[in-house]
Amino acid sequence: GAGVSQSPSNKVTEKGKDVELRCDPISGHTALYWYRQSLGQGLEFLIYFQGNSAPDKSGLPSDRFSAERTGGSVSTLTIQRTQQEDSAVYLCASSPRTGDGTQYFGPGTRLTVL
Amino acid sequence: GNSVTQMEGPVTLSEEAFLTINCTYTATGYPSLFWYVQYPGEGLQLLLKATKADDKGSNKGFEATYRKETTSFHLEKGSVQVSDSAVYFCALSQGAQKLVFGQGTRLTINP
């Protein structure tokens, strides 16, 4: 079946602009995660959604970052007033409710802030 | 909090050499342990996993054993190939919570 999809695959923006990144999880997966992969910081957790529960936002680096998940499926990560240090690959993953913690990753969105 | 420490890279080996990439973790309770791999230009893929102590995960000739007494999950392969060149990440999770990753180890296999 279809895996996790993300769009766009690449995004170049100017400092100060807002960006939206989209994630379509695997059908039926209730958990959805956002991570960021950058050269200096490795793989960092950003936010986690599980069903209708309140999301775990503990990894968001600043209040410029927010995410929502509509209808328990598609998620959008929004970065407001982008800064150069936001340049990274943003990864989305999903997993089923009952499982061993295995997460299935999308191809990522490469964000470049000029 | 939970953490994962991986052997620092980069690692360069010749084809058919034996590979070990060390991984140790710090966690309360009994986490699940994973190795993910990122081939050049591709996304993260699950390589193998183990969910309880003494379990051995294996895939594509790679193996790792969940050692609770040493809090380790070292990755091994008996004979590496050029196609194994990639970045390898050790990770842990507890339940359906976030993955905590090690810093990654870049592996290059020369023919």
Side-chain angles (χ1 to χ4, degrees), chain B residues 54-106:
Chain B
D54 301 324
D55 269 1
K56 178 185 284 188
S58 61
N59 186 24
K60 299 182 180 180
F62 290 89
E63 294 183 339
T65 301
Y66 188 140
R67 301 285 189 200
K68 185 158 178 62
E69 63 274 13
T70 54
T71 61
S72 65
F73 193 55
H74 305 321
L75 183 68
E76 297 183 335
K77 186 172 185 181
S79 177
V80 291
Q81 305 300 311
V82 172
S83 57
D84 294 326
S85 297
V87 181
Y88 293 80
F89 293 92
C90 186
L92 69 79
S93 75
Q94 296 192 276
Q97 303 301 312
K98 64 183 180 182
L99 282 166
V100 175
F101 289 92
Q103 65 268 44
T105 301
R106 182 175 298 278

Side-chain angles (χ1 to χ4, degrees), chain A residues 27-108:
Chain A
S27 177
H29 280 191
T30 57
L32 187 148
Y33 311 78
W34 284 97
Y35 296 87
R36 178 168 71 174
Q37 185 175 24
S38 54
L39 278 177
Q41 302 297 322
L43 276 157
E44 303 172 88
F45 165 76
L46 297 176
I47 188 168
Y48 157 53
F49 297 89
Q50 174 62 278
N52 295 320
S53 303
D56 175 358
K57 304 180 183 180
S58 60
L60 295 178
S62 77
D63 59 8
R64 296 186 296 104
F65 288 72
S66 62
E68 62 177 22
R69 189 177 184 192
T70 53
S73 180
V74 171
S75 177
T76 303
L77 177 69
T78 301
I79 309 174
Q80 295 179 309
R81 305 181 302 283
T82 52
Q83 304 294 313
Q84 288 184 331
E85 61 262 29
D86 299 334
S87 296
V89 177
Y90 289 81
L91 296 171
C92 176
S94 70
S95 68
R97 173 180 288 278
T98 54
D100 56 15
T102 301
Q103 296 178 21
Y104 301 86
F105 284 81

